[in-house]
Amino acid sequence: MSFEVPDDRNYLESHEWVAVNDGTGKIGITDFAQDELGDVVFVELPSEGDELEQEGDLGVVESIKAVSDLYSPVSGTVTAVNDELENTPELVNEDPFGDGWMLEVELDDESELDDLLSADEYREQIE
């Protein structure tokens, strides 16, 4: 089975992604992760203004199969939360790299991206 892995993002081995634009990172989970989870029924995320640490707890995603912890690919301050997920958590399944995004974060240190997997490295991990 082939999964979507956009080249314009960096990835954690735990299947979270970050896309960075002008010092702000948009974060979500990968196509592979949503497929493994099955139907997502609930997403618990931090609030705007919360501080995140790289590879620290980001929240929880609950599916019909399991409850899984989420980890932050970068350190920074939460500047936006995708409120749509509160009422329509299935967006994570339907469009994990688009409408199913979870957070936006003002990055503390863009050099942390060097610690993450490239799209090619992530593809190798999930094959």
Side-chain angles (χ1 to χ4, degrees):
M1 181 169 221
S2 180
F3 295 98
E4 183 182 358
V5 181
D7 288 327
D8 64 345
R9 289 145 214 255
N10 295 90
Y11 300 86
L12 272 178
E13 288 182 12
S14 55
H15 311 291
E16 292 83 6
W17 58 262
V18 61
V20 177
N21 186 11
D22 289 332
T24 298
K26 189 175 274 190
I27 297 172
I29 65 170
T30 65
D31 189 26
F32 177 84
Q34 71 77 25
D35 184 70
E36 289 288 301
L37 284 166
D39 294 336
V40 173
V41 295
F42 179 74
V43 180
E44 180 182 317
L45 298 170
S47 301
E48 285 185 38
D50 285 355
E51 295 290 327
L52 301 176
E53 292 295 322
Q54 186 175 40
E55 296 189 36
D57 289 340
L58 170 82
V60 174
V61 64
E62 187 175 329
S63 71
I64 56 172
K65 288 185 186 178
V67 176
S68 295
D69 291 328
L70 300 170
Y71 301 98
S72 182
V74 292
S75 300
T77 304
V78 177
T79 57
V81 177
N82 186 351
D83 294 330
E84 293 292 314
L85 299 182
E86 194 171 319
N87 295 318
T88 51
E90 62 272 13
L91 288 172
V92 173
N93 294 115
E94 295 167 4
D95 192 9
F97 294 109
D99 292 339
W101 67 276
M102 296 180 173
L103 301 173
E104 286 187 355
V105 176
E106 184 180 316
L107 274 62
D108 286 345
D109 182 0
E110 283 199 43
S111 71
E112 288 182 338
L113 298 173
D114 298 338
D115 299 333
L116 302 175
L117 300 174
S118 68
D120 287 339
E121 290 167 329
Y122 183 72
R123 279 186 202 98
E124 286 177 23
Q125 177 185 307
I126 61 173
E127 287 177 355

